[in-house]
Structure formats: structure tokens, C-alpha cells
Amino acid sequence: MKPLLMGVLLCLVSVPAWASGGEQARMLRQLNEREALQDSLEEFFDKQLCAPIKRGRFVWPEDVAASGLHLPVERFVSVENCSVRALGFEPGPQEASVRLLFELDGIDSEGQRRTVRGETPATFRRMPKSSWRLEHLEPVRGLSETVRPQPRFHEQAEASGLVLPDESRSDASFMRNGALAVRDFDGDGLLDVLAANPSALFLFRATAPLRYERLQLSVRPPRRTWFSSLAAGDFDADGDPDVLVTTQTEGPDRAPPLLLRNDGGTLTSVPSGLPRANAHTSVVSDINGDGHLDVVLLYYSVTMTPEDQLNARDGRPSRFFLGQGNLTFREVAPPDARSHPHWGLAAVAADLAGQGRPQVYVANDFGDNDLWHLDAQGVPRDITDAHGLRDPGNGMSADVGDLDGDGRLDLYVANMFSKAGTRVLAAAQVTSPELRSRLDKFAAGNTLYLAREGGRFEEVALARGVNRGLWAWGSIFLDADDDGRLDLAVANGFYSAPNRKDL
């Protein structure tokens, strides 16, 4: 998925269909001019507002800001990270009204790590030579402050031995996702780590807590393919975890997913019985409740771009395979599989519908997501709308957890929060309410569904302040601070070359 593509899309679809060619060109030109002006303002943020703060100059000079204006830096001794961005931007002839989003992170007067986040309206005056001056800053409402006496997490990968060898980037492998499977493969009570880069598998065998020895497996991806995902589970019902490995390719070549059978901690490749498939990833769970692990394969093209980026219908439907408990599988297909040609990026298996066994929720890029269950005849059925979980957007990942402690599983979906998208949409003319709603959702960020009675869900991400995951690629529930309550972690970013304005 290309970051700039989203911005271009928002510009193009925001032009009313009734506008003439000349009118469309004029409107697009105005949007481009507006974004160029906003880019110059964000350059001012970086160089004139944040750079002095990170150098310890908390008071801005008169040519940068009017007297007395400042961000909430009073309790900081030093600021290591400063980010100021525009969520809203309304330019005028001489001034611009801006809704600022800022974050400061550093050390306070008590030696603690302090992070301050907030939003506030501001006014900037245009100055000569494409510069700006901060003229007015409203008092910050809803300021968020986090104080940590000590760092919560410490980087330990190199010291622990959890390091992959360098790999050549000549084949653009840096843009192909790696994969992990964490299990106690040898039964010694310590968690081991199986890692895949595009062309090799590495088993990090735990020798002690946070100490690993790296072993490269002899398994290689089939010709002209690369390893795309790992999923661990006991596929042969012998009590130890095996691993399903999917492969992907840019060309017509396809290969069946690999199965690594576990024999006393030794992983050996065996035939999976699964068909040749250019699978992006898989999800493994006992979705029919027979005690054997089943497999759902998801597909995502790395060579095509969707014809409709708001509701793509040119992908491939997910495929369902029921495990037989002996490393073999039987495929079952939805009766309307062809009506779900989606771009599946990730999935999670959990009992979201309260049926007593898992359903599979698929996060699709470029459109709507899907919730699948097996009916009484073992046929996959789409029950997404029945539970209110369609969630249009750029679905990137999903995770479940009982966030509010009511005994029902809640759902968090990583999409994308686009500052540029919100600005462009604010300025664009969209005549269709349905199109406006879908566009707003695509730029709004992550989604949090809280489970309610009767199997329905309520979307509360914005109200709970968890929608802004930026260019979110993955998300998980975890209790990060051991207080008994679930927290959320979101991995975000994109390969942006010199331009990081999309982050």
C-alpha cells in the first residue's frame, strides 16, 4: 500500500462528478496549492518550533512567535522528541487557522521520563520568504501527561542473541514482511522463537531466560517465492507445536504452504496437503470445534493495485481448510466465495459472536472487513453485518481482548489515521453523504469495537482516544504495566524515503 496513493485518491474522488473538466482541474489545483502551503507550515513547525525546544531553548524568539506563547514545557529539563503537526488547516490571505497536534517527550525536573500530548487551536501569520509566525495559541484542553520514573521497556535483542543476519536489499526484500512464531518447541519450559525473513528460517532456541542460540533451518522457500508468514499449532495432535509456513511470489509461480513437523524440538518439512497458493498469511484455530486445528489462508497481491481503493472487489477470497488431525486438510468453501474478492492482510480467530467456538475476523485492505463462522453443516458463512463489524477502511491487523471486563471479547482493528486525508477532506466538496462517510472513515484511524448484549458491537475508538495509530500496520492487546488492565500497542510507519510527512 503506497502512502501517496491515499492522498491522491482523496483528491480525485472528492471532485464532484458534475464538475466540468476545467472545474475539476481548478479544484484539484486549489487542493494542491493548499497542501503545498501546509507543507511549508509543517517545515516551520520542525525547524522553528521544535528544533529550538530540542536544543533547550524553550522560549521562542519574537520573529517565530508572539511574546508569551509556548507549548507546555514548564516541567521539562530537556526535551528529546518534539512533534507538532496540523490536524486542521484553514488558510486565509494573511493568516491561517490551525488545529495543532503536539507531543513532547523528555526528562522533567525530578529526573523522570515525561510525555505530554495535546491539541489546541492556533493562528499563524504568513511572513516573507514562505515563512510563518505564531500569533495566537489557545489554552490546551484535555492535556495528556504520562510520567515514567524508569523506562518501561529496554532493548535486549542483541544482548539476548535475538538478532537476524544482515540480508541483501537488492531484491527489495526490505519491503517484504518477516514473521515470528513463539512457542516452547523443545519442551524445556522456555519459549523459543522461530523467525522468517524472505529467504530463510531461523530457530532461536532458548538456553536460559532471555538467552538464545540461533540455528538456521535447512528449509528454503520454493523457487521464485519467499516466506510470508508463520503460524504455530499442534497439527498432528501429538502434544508439541508444529508450524505452518506460507509463501508468496511476484510472478505466476505458486507453491503449497509448508508444514514443519515438530519431533522433540526438531522441525522437519513435510507435505501439508494444502493446494498451491500465493498466500500472504494464515490464521490457525479449531473453528469447527472437533479438536483439530484448521487453517484459513489470506491473499494479498504485491504486484497489482486495486481498481477501487475505497471498496476493492478485485482481490481473492479467503480459503478455509479443516484439519483432520494427521497433517492433512479438507477444504470447505463459502457458497458465495466469489462475492468476497477482498485484499486480506491479517486475521484473528476468537469467539466474537458468543457461539462457544471461534469465528475468523479478516482485516481487508482497501475496503470492508469480514467475520466468518462455520454453520451446522460446516459451511463458512459471512456474519459480519449481523454483528455490526464491517468496518470499512484500510484494515491492517486485528486483535481481541476483554477490554472492559464484562466477560465479552472486544475487537481492535488497525487501519490508518491520515492527517493529510483529514485536511483534504475538510477542503473538498463531496456531494454524496455515503461517499463522505466512507472517506471520513478511511482517514479516521483505528477502530475499537466494544461487545454489547445480543452479539452487537459499539464503535468507540475516537471516544476512548485510541483511533490515532498513524499509519498503523499492527496492533495487540497487552497488559504493559502489570496493573491487571489491558493496554494497546500499535506498530506504525511506512517506508517513506526522504519524505516523512505521511507518518
Side-chain angles (χ1 to χ4, degrees):
M1 182 168 39
K2 303 296 187 286
L4 294 181
L5 206 56
M6 183 67 173
V8 173
L9 166 70
L10 291 172
C11 288
L12 291 176
V13 299
S14 299
V15 179
W18 46 259
S20 66
E23 183 72 5
Q24 290 180 359
R26 183 186 66 80
M27 295 176 68
L28 288 176
R29 183 172 62 253
Q30 289 176 347
L31 289 174
N32 287 334
E33 291 173 353
R34 180 190 180 99
E35 282 298 286
L37 192 63
Q38 196 274 336
D39 284 345
S40 72
L41 181 59
E42 292 210 339
E43 183 178 4
F44 173 81
F45 295 163
D46 291 340
K47 294 182 178 180
Q48 302 299 326
L49 297 187
C50 276
I53 289 177
K54 291 191 289 186
R55 293 196 297 266
R57 300 176 183 175
F58 294 167
V59 178
W60 291 313
E62 286 289 328
D63 62 334
V64 172
S67 178
L69 299 184
H70 60 83
L71 295 177
V73 295
E74 296 86 354
R75 303 189 67 176
F76 283 97
V77 173
S78 64
V79 174
E80 298 175 9
N81 300 297
C82 171
S83 173
V84 179
R85 289 290 177 260
L87 286 179
F89 178 64
E90 293 298 331
Q94 299 297 327
E95 293 184 340
S97 298
V98 179
R99 185 159 60 97
L100 288 185
L101 171 68
F102 67 85
E103 178 175 314
L104 304 171
D105 183 77
I107 305 300
D108 64 16
S109 58
E110 299 179 4
Q112 303 176 113
R113 170 71 63 177
R114 181 176 294 271
T115 301
V116 176
R117 301 181 183 89
E119 296 180 32
T120 184
T123 302
F124 291 83
R125 177 177 294 276
R126 296 196 202 188
M127 304 296 287
K129 299 181 180 180
S130 301
S131 188
W132 298 83
R133 183 174 187 264
L134 177 59
E135 295 292 333
H136 179 71
L137 195 65
E138 292 283 342
V140 179
R141 297 179 180 178
L143 187 69
S144 170
E145 293 194 64
T146 303
V147 178
R148 303 183 297 280
Q150 296 180 347
R152 185 168 296 159
F153 296 99
H154 298 268
E155 169 59 45
Q156 295 288 315
E158 186 171 357
S160 300
L162 276 172
V163 179
L164 289 169
D166 292 336
E167 185 171 349
S168 170
R169 295 187 172 187
S170 60
D171 62 350
S173 61
F174 64 104
M175 290 296 289
R176 297 172 181 165
N177 294 337
L180 294 175
V182 181
R183 292 289 192 276
D184 180 7
F185 288 108
D186 54 8
D188 65 354
L190 299 173
L191 289 175
D192 310 302
V193 178
L194 182 66
N197 65 18
S199 59
L201 297 176
F202 297 91
L203 178 61
F204 293 87
R205 194 179 302 280
T207 59
L210 290 180
R211 291 292 181 269
Y212 299 89
E213 291 181 348
R214 187 180 74 199
L215 170 68
Q216 181 172 351
L217 303 188
S218 59
V219 180
R220 302 289 293 179
R223 183 171 175 263
R224 288 200 290 262
T225 71
W226 66 85
F227 294 131
S228 56
S229 76
L230 303 174
D234 187 5
F235 292 102
D236 54 5
D238 66 351
D240 56 20
D242 312 297
V243 182
L244 179 71
V245 187
T246 61
T247 61
Q248 200 166 6
T249 177
E250 293 180 355
D253 301 280
R254 296 179 181 180
L258 306 175
L259 258 180
L260 303 181
R261 186 183 63 207
N262 187 0
D263 297 305
T266 300
L267 298 175
T268 305
S269 179
V270 297
S272 68
L274 294 168
R276 292 179 176 271
N278 195 11
H280 174 73
T281 190
S282 68
V283 61
V284 171
S285 184
D286 181 10
I287 59 176
N288 65 349
D290 67 351
H292 303 313
L293 288 179
D294 311 308
V295 172
V296 182
L297 297 180
L298 277 61
Y299 299 89
Y300 189 96
S301 174
V302 295
T303 57
M304 298 169 51
T305 56
E307 293 180 352
D308 182 351
Q309 296 189 36
L310 294 181
N311 190 18
R313 308 292 298 176
D314 54 354
R316 295 181 59 191
S318 303
R319 296 178 67 177
F320 299 79
F321 300 88
L322 302 183
Q324 307 302 293
N326 57 358
L327 300 178
T328 64
F329 301 87
R330 175 175 61 89
E331 184 169 9
V332 291
D336 55 350
R338 293 184 179 181
S339 66
H340 293 78
H342 293 158
W343 293 60
L345 268 181
V348 62
D351 188 10
L352 289 165
Q355 298 176 343
R357 53 188 172 89
Q359 302 85 48
V360 177
Y361 188 81
V362 182
N364 296 308
D365 205 356
F366 310 117
D368 298 344
N369 296 339
D370 303 309
L371 179 65
W372 296 94
H373 85 132
L374 295 188
D375 64 16
Q377 289 72 44
V379 177
R381 302 284 183 178
D382 178 2
I383 58 171
T384 318
D385 292 327
H387 297 275
L389 295 174
R390 188 61 70 185
D391 194 43
N394 291 112
M396 306 295 283
S397 76
D399 199 19
V400 298
D402 183 5
L403 194 62
D404 51 7
D406 65 355
R408 293 185 285 257
L409 289 177
D410 309 306
L411 174 68
Y412 189 63
V413 184
N415 292 299
M416 290 191 299
F417 174 74
S418 172
K419 296 186 293 293
T422 57
R423 291 194 306 270
V424 170
L425 285 171
Q429 301 179 39
V430 181
T431 57
S432 166
E434 293 181 2
L435 178 58
R436 163 64 73 175
S437 176
R438 182 166 281 261
L439 286 169
D440 286 342
K441 178 63 178 70
F442 265 69
N446 296 353
T447 306
L448 175 60
Y449 287 108
L450 293 185
R452 300 307 187 201
E453 291 185 5
R456 300 292 294 182
F457 288 79
E458 179 186 2
E459 205 290 294
V460 297
L462 180 61
R464 300 297 178 96
V466 294
N467 64 306
R468 290 179 186 160
L470 303 184
W471 288 85
W473 282 74
S475 57
I476 59 170
F477 285 108
L478 77 163
D479 184 3
D481 50 6
D482 296 324
D483 65 353
R485 296 187 295 269
L486 285 177
D487 309 303
L488 280 166
V490 179
N492 60 61
F494 198 91
Y495 178 71
S496 301
N499 182 2
R500 59 185 177 86
K501 296 297 184 183
D502 57 326
L503 299 182

